[in-house]
Amino acid sequence: MLIAIDKVLTKDEVAACRRRLDAAQWLDGALTAGTLARSQKTNQQLDDADPAAIALGEDILRRLWPHPLFISAALPAQIFPPRFNRYAGGGAYGAHVDSALMRPPGGERTLRSDLSATLFLSEPEEYDGGELEIEGAFGVQAVKLEAGDLILYPSSSLHRVTPVTRGARIAAFFWIESHVADEGERTLLFDLDQAIQGLTLKAGPDHPQLLKLTGVYHNLLRRWART
Ligand code: NI
């Protein structure tokens, strides 16, 4: 399931973020790719230890941890600190699957990537190409969102970034370990939670059937969640 989360950052916040990123030092993205992905990846990336990357990444996570739609969709247990990349001059990232296990910088515990996230920091009009193409059960979906919007997709999916033939595509990207590893179980919980929230607005939070459904949600979560 692909889930778009609009306006994670305001346009002013995107502009401030872009000013810091424009002044930062971009490195060859192949340095951080796995052995198989290396030949596929022609982009630029900020070093994990770059102070701008660390500060901007923290800003993004401060916004996401309490975000209701993000929590509902990802049920996050651990988030890899955001990284930043830049595609220009034909830069692309060929089809690949993200690594399953990763060690966050300075982290003690290995993170299992259940969901991948891309936060767009360039407006779609600023560049040609640069679609994030994600393969799923219903075919390939091409994603190109407004600056400040985020897409969540299963880390297990084959995905690629098509060549950027004009302008530059700047984005933050990161991975999430979910309390519910199974994509199917997580999707059911998300659908149930969204339905409960919709009904709450219509019927009021004290409706007895709604209380029952909320109980079902939490009891399924209790059954499927790992802490
Ligand atoms: Ni990837």
Side-chain angles (χ1 to χ4, degrees):
M1 183 175 50
L2 307 188
I3 298 159
I5 303 179
D6 295 345
K7 299 181 178 60
V8 170
L9 298 182
T10 66
K11 298 296 182 193
D12 285 348
E13 288 167 336
V14 168
C17 189
R18 286 283 298 274
R19 277 195 294 277
R20 286 201 76 173
L21 291 174
D22 287 345
Q25 201 197 349
W26 292 93
L27 307 174
D28 181 355
L31 295 172
T32 54
T35 322
L36 281 174
R38 198 166 295 148
S39 59
Q40 304 262 30
K41 190 177 178 191
T42 49
N43 67 358
Q44 293 176 299
Q45 204 164 300
L46 288 196
D47 190 83
D48 286 349
D50 189 303
I54 293 170
L56 293 172
E58 286 173 352
D59 287 347
I60 292 167
L61 293 191
R62 251 195 304 277
R63 189 59 56 84
L64 277 177
W65 274 113
H67 195 294
L69 184 57
F70 176 72
I71 294 171
S72 179
L75 296 165
Q78 204 187 165
I79 307 178
F80 197 97
R83 286 176 168 167
F84 296 85
N85 59 19
R86 182 177 186 277
Y87 294 81
Y93 198 164
H96 67 279
V97 170
D98 293 340
S99 299
L101 298 174
M102 34 187 96
R103 181 70 62 96
E108 286 170 13
R109 202 165 79 72
T110 299
L111 174 146
R112 183 194 59 241
S113 59
D114 295 317
L115 295 123
S116 302
T118 296
L119 173 64
F120 289 78
L121 296 170
S122 298
E123 295 295 353
E125 314 81 74
E126 289 183 67
Y127 58 98
D128 289 337
E131 281 90 4
L132 172 62
E133 290 188 345
I134 303 161
E135 291 191 17
F138 300 105
V140 176
Q141 279 187 272
V143 181
K144 188 171 185 174
L145 302 181
E146 281 190 31
D149 294 356
L150 177 135
I151 186 81
L152 277 176
Y153 58 99
S155 299
S156 55
S157 62
L158 201 59
H159 56 275
R160 69 180 71 81
V161 176
T162 63
V164 172
T165 54
R166 177 188 64 86
R169 173 201 194 268
I170 295 167
F173 63 103
F174 50 95
W175 299 273
I176 299 125
E177 179 175 309
S178 176
H179 284 299
V180 176
D182 184 86
E183 155 82 359
E185 291 171 353
R186 205 167 51 242
T187 302
L188 285 173
L189 287 167
F190 177 68
D191 288 344
L192 181 55
D193 186 43
Q194 293 301 301
I196 289 170
Q197 289 190 36
L199 277 177
T200 304
L201 291 175
K202 288 207 155 149
D206 299 326
H207 194 286
Q209 303 307 324
L210 208 43
L211 292 177
K212 213 164 192 171
L213 281 174
T214 305
V216 171
Y217 174 82
H218 283 285
N219 290 330
L220 284 174
L221 183 56
R222 204 182 323 280
R223 184 171 285 231
W224 292 334
R226 297 285 174 272
T227 54

